[in-house]
């Protein structure tokens, strides 16, 4: 192989290694963001269910379906 060919191959290998490292960092960042989104969604579901349950309890204690 010629020196130019080896230099080109080294450059391409370096570029591939750099791309792999960048992709790994992006993957880690996406995993962290998804974890944060899942945690937020979990608390939103808890909040909505709590509001529905408290609304039902309030309605029941306020007379519910009984005529006035």
């Amino acid at each position: 192989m010629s020196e130019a060919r080896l230099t080109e191959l080294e450059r391409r290998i370096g570029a591939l290694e750099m791309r792999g490292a960048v992709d790994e960092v992006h993957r880690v960042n996406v995993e962290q963001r998804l974890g944060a989104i899942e945690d937020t969604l979990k608390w939103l579901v808890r909040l909505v269910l709590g509001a529905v349950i408290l609304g039902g309890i309030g309605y029941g204690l306020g007379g519910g379906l009984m005529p006035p």
Side-chain angles (χ1 to χ4, degrees):
M1 283 188 162
S2 68
E3 185 67 28
R5 178 79 173 142
L6 286 175
T7 303
E8 176 64 20
L9 288 175
E10 289 172 350
R11 185 192 65 77
R12 290 177 65 188
I13 289 172
L16 285 173
E17 289 174 345
M18 178 69 74
R19 185 179 303 152
V22 169
D23 287 345
E24 177 67 18
V25 169
H26 283 298
R27 187 186 61 76
V28 168
N29 287 338
V30 167
E31 286 178 359
Q32 290 173 349
R33 288 188 209 154
L34 284 177
I37 290 170
E38 287 173 350
D39 289 342
T40 302
L41 184 58
K42 177 174 42 176
W43 280 105
L44 284 173
V45 167
R46 289 177 180 173
L47 180 65
V48 168
L49 287 177
V52 168
I53 291 170
L54 285 177
I57 290 172
Y59 181 74
L61 290 176
L65 296 175
M66 295 177 59

